[in-house]
Amino acid sequence: MSSRVIPFRASFTGNQEIPTSVTALSLTNDVPFNCESQEQENANDRLLKAVEEVFSPLLRAMKSFGIYYGDTTLKHFNDTSCSYRKRNVLPSIYCCVLASGFWLNFILASTAMIFDNDVYLVLMMSFWCLFMALNATISLVVLPITGAKKSRLEKYLRTLLAAVKTINLEKVRKNSRTALAVFCLLFMFAAAGILAGSLLLSFNIGTFQPWHRWFGFRIFAPTFLVIGVGSWLLPIIFFCITSLMLETLFDDLHRRMSPAYSTPSMDLTNFKVEYHKLCEVVELADKVLAPLLLVFVSVYIPLLCFSFYNVARPRDEDSQLFFLFNLLWFLFAAAILAVILVFGSKVGEKVKHRNSFLHSFSNSFLNNVSKLL
């Protein structure tokens, strides 16, 4: 009988104790997992909000000047619905109309060279109109975030959000706001200068031969030049802000890898992986910024050359006013090109010296560990 009673007790004990232990184990394991996933989700939301605060005002400004027609809130990366795509129809038509106006201005200016006009003045206006038209076209191709197809900007932002865990972008956000405030000020000065040059001097494509016969060109040309100031300056601000964000990412990693923050528990391999992820972010950012940078350099330098010639050459009629106008324009354009080169060179230097930095960090890290041991 004892052989029959013992299995009964064993089965009773198993039925009572095993479920209890399994339930307790599942409770203790689920709580940390849920907390960790919730913290990671909150960190991702904070990072997305920080990046949105940097780019969203700039994208809204670009949208108002017709060089961007996509999402400005950065919250619809996965929204591929038809309703979302329909919301971009009217903005895309608006952008195409303005871009067509920029290109028409360039055609009017370039064809005026074959007639009896001031060649160097026409060349300067032609390169300026070409710069506006190319900036607008490249921005409309590269930047818009829509639900139909991933743009280069969207790929860059996705990789950035995946590679970076936490980062303080307050400095970049303030600089973005400051840049937009400066743009508003420069836009007012540029618009006033264009109108003054059109009325007082011959800085009006509509007054060139043979377009001076139709009064509508005298209104059309300066109007699109004023609107084109946004196409001229806003892509430059986008380039500088993106470069500043990349610089901030590398500075944050360099700070955490510096000997002052190094401890024996730090993992050098994780830092190398994080550094290479940032380099991937830079590669995608390069695909976004490279077309704009090519236009900045290839078109801006001839524009400065013809502007300088117009400043240096003698002119009889309206000489003082013409000289002052061209001088201010030349100095303004040269300062903008200098800003572009400075911001672009900073990111290049940080990526270029990554291997030497990692090597020096590994040596200092090993020295600190040996001292502690």
Side-chain angles (χ1 to χ4, degrees):
M1 292 184 60
S2 61
S3 61
R4 296 182 180 179
V5 173
I6 292 174
F8 174 75
R9 289 179 180 175
S11 62
F12 177 79
T13 303
N15 291 335
Q16 294 296 326
E17 294 180 357
I18 292 178
T20 303
S21 61
V22 171
T23 304
L25 182 61
S26 62
L27 289 175
T28 57
N29 288 340
D30 288 342
V31 173
F33 177 77
N34 292 333
C35 292
E36 184 179 356
S37 60
Q38 185 66 29
E39 291 178 358
Q40 182 64 32
E41 183 177 355
N42 294 335
N44 293 336
D45 293 339
R46 288 193 297 268
L47 180 61
L48 178 61
K49 183 178 179 181
V51 175
E52 180 183 347
E53 290 178 351
V54 173
F55 284 105
S56 183
L58 180 58
L59 294 179
R60 289 194 187 99
M62 297 175 72
K63 196 171 187 176
S64 63
F65 282 91
I67 56 177
Y68 183 85
Y69 61 87
D71 180 30
T72 59
T73 61
L74 308 182
K75 295 180 179 178
H76 302 283
F77 284 173
N78 296 324
D79 189 359
T80 57
S81 60
C82 295
S83 60
Y84 177 65
R85 290 196 294 267
K86 289 180 181 179
R87 290 201 297 267
N88 293 320
V89 173
L90 292 178
S92 60
I93 294 175
Y94 169 72
C95 294
C96 290
V97 171
L98 291 185
S100 300
F102 299 150
W103 281 109
L104 181 58
N105 247 1
F106 167 69
I107 293 173
L108 294 177
S110 58
T111 53
M113 287 187 295
I114 62 178
F115 294 91
D116 188 14
N117 295 299
D118 189 339
V119 177
Y120 294 100
L121 179 61
V122 172
L123 284 173
M124 186 184 72
M125 298 295 292
S126 299
F127 275 103
W128 191 22
C129 294
L130 178 62
F131 186 78
M132 293 178 180
L134 287 176
N135 270 358
T137 304
I138 292 174
S139 298
L140 292 176
V141 173
V142 173
L143 300 183
I145 300 175
T146 63
K149 183 180 179 181
K150 289 184 181 179
S151 64
R152 296 185 183 183
L153 177 60
E154 182 175 354
K155 294 177 181 179
Y156 157 69
L157 292 177
R158 283 181 177 274
T159 306
L160 173 64
L161 296 174
V164 179
K165 303 300 180 182
T166 56
I167 185 66
N168 185 8
L169 297 177
E170 184 65 21
K171 177 183 176 181
V172 184
R173 186 186 68 84
K174 291 181 179 179
N175 288 331
S176 177
R177 298 293 195 278
T178 303
L180 288 177
V182 173
F183 164 75
C184 294
L185 185 63
L186 294 178
F187 176 77
M188 291 188 293
F189 280 109
I194 291 172
L195 295 178
S198 300
L199 297 176
L200 301 178
L201 301 171
S202 57
F203 287 94
N204 189 347
I205 301 174
T207 61
F208 296 161
Q209 296 182 11
W211 315 120
H212 66 287
R213 301 174 183 176
W214 296 277
F215 180 76
F217 286 128
R218 300 187 181 186
I219 304 298
F220 172 85
T223 300
F224 274 87
L225 282 179
V226 172
I227 300 174
V229 173
S231 177
W232 172 34
L233 296 178
L234 286 176
I236 296 175
I237 295 177
F238 177 84
F239 175 86
C240 295
I241 294 301
T242 305
S243 301
L244 183 61
M245 176 174 286
L246 295 175
E247 181 185 357
T248 303
L249 296 178
F250 280 98
D251 287 340
D252 177 74
L253 182 60
H254 290 180
R255 178 184 59 82
R256 291 186 285 112
M257 294 172 64
S258 62
Y261 287 85
S262 61
T263 60
S265 59
M266 296 173 66
D267 191 355
L268 179 60
T269 304
N270 291 336
F271 280 124
K272 287 184 177 180
V273 172
E274 187 173 353
Y275 210 105
H276 287 297
K277 286 183 179 180
L278 290 183
C279 292
E280 293 178 2
V281 174
V282 172
E283 290 179 0
L284 292 176
D286 178 69
K287 294 181 179 180
V288 177
L289 302 178
L292 293 174
L293 185 60
L294 178 62
V295 174
F296 295 161
V297 177
S298 62
V299 180
Y300 225 87
I301 292 178
L303 176 61
L304 288 177
C305 293
F306 290 115
S307 299
F308 178 77
Y309 182 80
N310 286 323
V311 172
R313 69 175 179 144
R315 184 182 174 94
D316 295 333
E317 53 183 11
D318 300 328
S319 58
Q320 294 182 353
L321 186 60
F322 185 87
F323 172 79
L324 181 62
F325 190 87
N326 278 285
L327 180 62
L328 293 176
W329 159 252
F330 172 75
L331 294 177
F332 183 55
I336 291 178
L337 182 60
V339 170
I340 295 171
L341 297 178
V342 167
F343 275 89
S345 62
K346 288 183 178 180
V347 180
E349 290 176 358
K350 294 185 181 297
V351 178
K352 180 179 179 181
H353 296 93
R354 67 185 183 187
N355 292 329
S356 60
F357 182 85
L358 288 173
H359 181 70
S360 61
F361 168 75
S362 60
N363 291 335
S364 62
F365 177 79
L366 293 175
N367 291 334
N368 290 336
V369 173
S370 61
K371 290 179 181 179
L372 292 174
L373 296 177

